[in-house]
Amino acid sequence: MSRHVAIVTDSTAYLPPRTMERHGITAVPLTVVLGGQALDEGTEISTRSLAQALQKRRPVTTSRPSPQVFAEHYRRVAESGATAIVSLHLSAELSGTYDAAVLAAREAPVPVRVVDTGMVAMALGFCALAAAEAAETGGTVDEAVTAAEKRAGGTAAYFYVDTLDYLRRGGRIGAAQALLGSALAVKPLLQLDGGRIELLEKVRTASKAIARLEEIAAERAGSAQVDIAVHHLAAPERASALADRLRARVRGLADLHVSEVGAVIGAHTGPGLLGVVVSPR
């Protein structure tokens, strides 16, 4: 790595490994605790193992990286030649990851700017890519941060889940909302709003909810040039079909990514998740 502004994010960005390698992006792993064993997301636990554990109702929890883990990653990035680091992370409303990064940044060997993007999954990934592209053209720390924040400001993320129970267990959505969804036997559509996961709409059946998810994403994209990511957990056929429909429907589509979410997000959403991220360029 040449001497430049380096980009660090976390494992919930779900960027393709080749994309991260091409742009020199480093991802710090969050941790999934399964059966009393702490496992790094992305390397030590598969989404299949997670889905099986959730379906068997085994207890699964998640935790942020420690400041020490961040410090070690910052040290390695600095040793590879970076003169400054922009560290971009999932919403501080959802995780203590941002706080851990801030603590580690104080002792880093090079200046580190830590940013709470308010995003998660590829909504965060697109922010990291925007920052990396700015840095690759010789951009300063301020310019890389501005590029990421601009991308975040235009990006929307919508989610369908089969049940709100997993989000309720993890404290990511209010118990009253979760109980309401269960009592009415509705299929919830969610959105990222102010860094929080909020209930957007309640739809009566899964098929209608997925059709509505497609409609909302297409409306958000409009005719602008956009990148789209379709996420899923243990629902590859649903995700592929939704991606095909969006390809045909969104006129300004630039890139479309289809990927399974990792264990951290999956632990809070459960199998059957479908998510769509719409990010204008």
Side-chain angles (χ1 to χ4, degrees), residues 9 18 63 67 78 81-82 96 98 103 108 110 137 160 170 192 206 241 265 268-269:
T9 186
R18 289 183 180 178
S63 65
Y98 167 82
L103 289 173
V110 297
T137 58
Y160 161 82
L192 268 180
I265 300 304
H268 294 292
T269 60

Side-chain angles (χ1 to χ4, degrees), residues 229-265:
V230 176
H231 290 303
H232 72 94
L233 179 62
E237 296 85 4
R238 276 181 175 177
S240 179
L242 177 57
D244 288 343
R245 294 194 299 272
L246 288 170
R247 282 192 189 96
R249 185 166 183 172
V250 176
R251 295 189 301 275
L253 182 63
D255 285 329
L256 194 151
H257 305 260
V258 181
S259 65
E260 191 164 30
V261 298
V264 168
I265 300 304

Side-chain angles (χ1 to χ4, degrees), residues 10 58 79 141 184 187 202 245 276:
D10 60 67
R58 293 178 61 191
E79 288 178 351
V141 166
L184 296 178
K187 295 298 183 180
K202 301 184 290 290
R245 294 194 299 272
V276 180

Side-chain angles (χ1 to χ4, degrees), residues 43-205:
T43 57
E44 296 182 337
I45 180 170
S46 69
T47 50
R48 175 175 293 184
S49 297
L50 171 79
Q52 291 173 345
L54 291 173
Q55 287 163 347
K56 294 176 181 177
R57 301 189 70 82
R58 293 178 61 191
V60 180
T61 58
T62 62
S63 65
R64 70 179 192 178
S66 69
Q68 291 75 21
V69 169
F70 268 110
E72 177 62 19
H73 280 80
Y74 292 156
R75 183 187 63 78
R76 292 177 190 169
V77 170
E79 288 178 351
S80 69
T83 55
I85 297 169
V86 174
S87 200
L88 302 155
H89 300 291
L90 80 160
S91 171
E93 296 284 348
L94 303 176
S95 169
T97 299
Y98 167 82
D99 294 330
V102 168
L103 289 173
R106 295 172 183 169
E107 307 298 328
V110 297
V112 180
R113 179 84 67 84
V114 184
V115 179
D116 171 12
T117 65
M119 300 282 114
V120 74
M122 272 298 291
L124 168 58
F126 287 132
C127 294
L129 282 175
E133 289 165 358
E136 286 164 2
T137 58
T140 64
V141 166
D142 286 345
E143 288 167 337
V145 170
T146 296
E149 291 178 339
K150 182 177 179 181
R151 196 75 187 257
T155 296
Y158 307 101
F159 307 94
Y160 161 82
V161 292
D162 278 332
T163 173
L164 290 171
D165 191 44
Y166 297 103
L167 285 162
R168 178 192 59 78
R169 285 188 227 168
R172 265 61 180 187
I173 198 166
Q177 289 180 317
L179 289 171
L180 178 64
S182 299
L184 296 178
V186 297
K187 295 298 183 180
L189 292 178
L190 309 164
Q191 67 176 342
L192 268 180
D193 184 8
R196 300 182 180 91
I197 297 172
E198 301 287 357
L199 191 60
L200 177 62
E201 294 183 9
K202 301 184 290 290
V203 186
R204 283 293 180 182
T205 66

